């Protein structure tokens, strides 16, 4: 054979890293942190090995643990001291995320992003105010327009507490524009908005609902989260958020929707985020515990695939473990 093109020439140890097309750095990653107003000590999350709910008094130490691995950004999720039909603890000045944000920004240099949604705060577990008779009628769930003002109030309260970025995740139509207008009117023009622009009604969220105590008390979220069958719709959703002022565009989940991540990256010049969700994390841990997979290798390969698809930043429960090995 007379082979002039031999790709294996570029796979030897010396040159392989020089021609590697994609890399994952600690600064590409964002670590979720669960802050629990009902806890006095750290509480392990059974379905998410290695993760805990932390009390407010422990949140600075928890964030510093993240920072020590080289990861610079955290996303805060709150478990409030009480819940009600409106989710009013979501925008309370002394709410769990607000107090955690004040402490973190005062005592660390972490970049703080806050999740803006009502599901952890409502007693029914849905992402907004319920439509009349929603519990009885399966074709009704959340009143979109009535929920927008509550999301705006929540985002303003997070910004006032010192959040660098707010991340609305409820998939309400118009949420980005409403939040951007509210932030600007309150003097928070420099607070960025990372929209969960294409968030699917996915079966991969199960462990998170255990972690954040945010499972719906009835029904599901198919009437406001996206149909997993739809990709073109994702581009329409993302375009609307861009027009309303989103600074960063997130696709959630990540691995089952890498095609969507890639299409968003191709169509838009905004930074693209992807959420490597709890189910993706838990299934690798479960397989590793069985001895079927190498956890370290599959975790890194998963994050590489998300970067290769086009994500600029990745929200992942593997953030600290992967950063430690980079």
């Amino acid at each position: 054979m007379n082979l002039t093109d031999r790709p294996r020439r570029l796979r030897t140890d010396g040159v392989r890293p020089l021609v590697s097309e994609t890399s994952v750095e600690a600064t590409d990653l964002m670590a979720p942190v669960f802050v629990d107003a009902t806890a006095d000590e750290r509480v392990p999350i059974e379905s998410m090995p290695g993760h805990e709910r932390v009390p407010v008094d422990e949140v600075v130490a928890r964030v510093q643990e993240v920072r020590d691995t080289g990861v610079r950004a955290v996303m805060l999720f709150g478990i409030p001291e009480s819940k009600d039909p409106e989710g009013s603890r979501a925008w309370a000045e002394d709410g769990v995320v607000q107090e955690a944000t004040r402490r973190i920004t005062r005592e660390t240099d972490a970049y703080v992003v806050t999740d803006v949604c009502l599901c952890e705060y409502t007693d029914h577990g849905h992402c907004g105010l319920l439509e009349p008779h929603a519990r009885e009628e399966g074709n009704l769930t959340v009143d979109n327009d009535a929920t927008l003002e509550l999301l705006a109030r929540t985002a303003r309260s997070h910004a006032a507490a010192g959040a660098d970025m707010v991340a609305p995740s409820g998939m309400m139509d118009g949420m980005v524009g409403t939040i951007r207008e509210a932030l600007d009117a309150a003097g928070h023009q420099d607070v960025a908005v990372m929209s969960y622009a294409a968030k699917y009604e996915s079966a991969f969220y199960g462990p998170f609902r255990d972690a954040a105590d945010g499972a719906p008390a009835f029904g599901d979220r198919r009437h406001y989260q996206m149909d997993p069958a739809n990709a073109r719709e994702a581009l329409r959703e993302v375009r609307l958020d861009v027009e309303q002022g989103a600074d960063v565009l997130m696709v959630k989940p990540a691995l089952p929707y890498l095609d969507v991540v890639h299409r968003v990256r191709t169509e838009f010049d905004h930074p693209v985020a992807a959420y490597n969700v709890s189910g993706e994390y838990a299934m690798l841990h479960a397989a590793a515990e069985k001895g079927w997979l190498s956890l370290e290798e599959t975790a890194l390969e998963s994050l590489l695939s998300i970067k290769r698809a086009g994500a600029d930043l990745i929200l992942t429960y593997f953030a600290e473990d992967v950063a430690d090995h980079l």
Side-chain angles (χ1 to χ4, degrees):
M1 290 187 298
N2 182 21
L3 298 179
T4 57
D5 191 352
R6 292 180 178 269
R8 288 184 56 182
R9 294 188 188 113
L10 299 182
R11 294 177 190 156
T12 61
D13 290 342
V15 73
R16 186 182 179 103
L18 296 177
V19 297
S20 181
E21 299 175 14
T22 307
S23 64
V24 173
E25 309 295 338
T27 51
D28 299 328
L29 308 177
M30 184 182 301
V33 173
F34 297 95
V35 192
D36 190 345
T38 70
D40 296 323
E41 57 185 17
R42 299 192 185 198
V43 180
I45 301 169
E46 184 176 350
S47 56
M48 294 170 59
H51 285 273
E52 305 165 315
R53 294 183 182 185
V54 299
V56 173
D57 287 345
E58 285 278 324
V59 73
V60 171
R62 177 72 190 96
V63 169
Q64 193 55 56
E65 291 167 5
V66 173
R67 293 289 289 110
D68 289 344
T69 68
V71 176
R72 298 178 180 177
V74 295
M75 171 87 87
L76 300 184
F77 297 91
I79 297 90
E81 61 189 30
S82 62
K83 303 188 180 194
D84 59 38
E86 289 189 332
S88 61
R89 295 300 300 171
W91 60 84
E93 184 178 351
D94 61 346
V96 59
V97 167
Q98 290 80 353
E99 179 58 26
T101 298
R102 281 189 287 268
R103 295 189 185 201
I104 294 167
T105 55
R106 184 172 61 239
E107 300 183 42
T108 80
D109 60 355
Y111 189 86
V112 177
V113 185
T114 58
D115 180 70
V116 177
C117 194
L118 300 180
C119 59
E120 296 105 313
Y121 301 89
T122 55
D123 57 10
H124 46 75
H126 279 285
C127 299
L129 293 176
L130 294 181
E131 294 178 313
H133 312 297
R135 293 178 184 270
E136 296 81 27
E137 299 184 34
N139 63 335
L140 299 172
T141 47
V142 171
D143 185 328
N144 187 97
D145 292 7
T147 298
L148 294 178
E149 174 55 28
L150 304 188
L151 296 177
R153 293 174 69 178
T154 302
R156 280 198 307 266
S157 71
H158 291 179
D164 298 295
M165 177 183 286
V166 295
S169 60
M171 287 301 286
M172 297 296 118
D173 293 344
M175 65 183 184
V176 171
T178 301
I179 288 171
R180 182 72 271 162
E181 183 178 350
L183 291 175
D184 291 351
H188 300 301
Q189 295 91 340
D190 293 334
V191 174
V193 176
M194 176 169 66
S195 175
Y196 288 61
K199 181 179 179 180
Y200 286 85
E201 198 240 337
S202 172
F204 284 90
Y205 300 151
F208 173 87
R209 291 171 181 170
D210 175 40
D213 192 21
F218 68 92
D220 54 38
R221 293 171 177 158
R222 72 184 186 279
H223 294 148
Y224 46 101
Q225 294 178 358
M226 287 181 57
D227 183 346
N230 294 356
R232 295 191 305 272
E233 182 189 6
L235 297 184
R236 295 200 300 274
E237 284 277 9
V238 171
R239 187 169 290 107
L240 287 169
D241 285 0
V242 168
E243 292 170 354
Q244 293 172 33
D247 299 290
V248 181
L249 309 169
M250 182 187 284
V251 176
K252 180 183 180 181
L255 294 175
Y257 299 91
L258 293 181
D259 61 318
V260 177
V261 173
H262 182 68
R263 291 178 72 170
V264 173
R265 169 72 291 143
T266 301
E267 293 287 331
F268 301 93
D269 60 4
H270 285 53
V272 176
Y275 198 149
N276 182 219
V277 300
S278 58
E280 299 168 59
Y281 176 85
M283 67 183 183
L284 290 187
H285 267 276
E289 287 174 9
K290 290 284 190 180
W292 297 340
L293 295 173
S294 163
L295 183 62
E296 180 182 336
E297 292 176 355
T298 53
L300 178 57
E301 187 175 338
S302 295
L303 300 189
L304 272 171
S305 73
I306 297 168
K307 280 291 299 293
R308 191 181 65 246
D312 299 291
L313 61 100
I314 305 170
L315 179 59
T316 177
Y317 302 97
F318 285 117
E320 294 166 88
D321 291 338
V322 168
D324 259 341
H325 291 97
L326 292 175

